[in-house]
Amino acid sequence: MRLTKFTDLALRVVMRLAVADGAETPTSRQVAESVAAPYTHVSKVVSRLQHLGVLEARRGRGGGLELTSRGRGASIGWLVRRLEGDGDVVGCEDPSTPCPLRGACRLRAALRDAQEAFYASLDPLTVRDLVGEPPRPALVRLLAGPPPADRRPPGGPRSRPPADP
């Protein structure tokens, strides 16, 4: 099974906010920069997560994004189910291309069982579990944002050759 890019981005946003853990309330734009995603995509994700009660978004001075208590303890399986929807893995019910095997096919039920097993394996995991050790140091680096362009490593592609004496 493959998750949509929307769900992937939503999980990254939730993890980013979980690491902040109330120490800061980043804006959608700051979160977008730290997870290397377009601001417009992050805004849509934030809206959906807010609707699910996973995060709180406050506007204006002193505003920003913060996980709710529901968001910090949310099951990853529950969250992925809400973000992915209840659709089947395959499009057996697509009216534009009806499957001729629909009446006698065992594949659809097997794929539905596999999908549920996938979600069930995520059910015991919470957002807290995803941001604990060992990934925590890498996630904390996200708080600092991307390195400035003028701090390139020596010898990188933008370095100049040494001047002749």
Side-chain angles (χ1 to χ4, degrees):
M1 184 172 161
R2 184 179 181 105
L3 297 179
T4 61
K5 290 180 180 182
F6 185 87
T7 299
D8 172 52
L9 183 55
L11 292 172
R12 287 191 283 153
V13 167
V14 167
M15 290 169 63
R16 163 62 175 87
L17 294 175
V19 172
D21 204 23
E24 64 160 340
T25 51
T27 65
S28 295
R29 194 166 303 278
Q30 290 168 327
V31 170
E33 288 174 11
S34 66
V35 299
Y39 168 72
T40 54
H41 294 0
V42 170
S43 294
K44 290 175 186 175
V45 163
V46 164
S47 177
R48 179 76 171 120
L49 292 173
Q50 188 177 14
H51 178 75
L52 291 172
V54 172
L55 66 81
E56 184 178 296
R58 291 182 304 280
R59 293 178 178 251
R61 188 179 180 115
L65 306 175
E66 191 172 4
L67 283 183
T68 62
S69 59
R70 179 181 195 175
R72 281 188 289 282
S75 160
I76 300 303
W78 172 85
L79 184 55
V80 171
R81 279 182 184 92
R82 295 312 170 282
L83 294 169
E84 289 289 313
D86 293 328
D88 285 332
V89 176
V90 292
C92 297
E93 299 297 323
D94 185 359
S96 65
T97 56
C99 178
L101 301 175
R102 188 171 49 203
C105 183
R106 291 183 179 169
L107 179 60
R108 182 176 177 202
L111 290 173
R112 192 177 307 120
D113 290 347
Q115 180 180 28
E116 185 50 40
F118 172 78
Y119 289 141
S121 70
L122 296 174
D123 283 338
L125 288 172
T126 66
V127 173
R128 284 186 195 102
D129 296 331
L130 293 181
V131 298
E133 296 297 334
R136 187 166 186 81
L139 291 166
V140 169
R141 282 193 295 277
L142 288 177
L143 297 176
D150 60 344
R151 288 196 309 170
R152 290 184 181 82
R158 297 266 179 132
S159 65
R160 294 183 180 171
D164 289 331

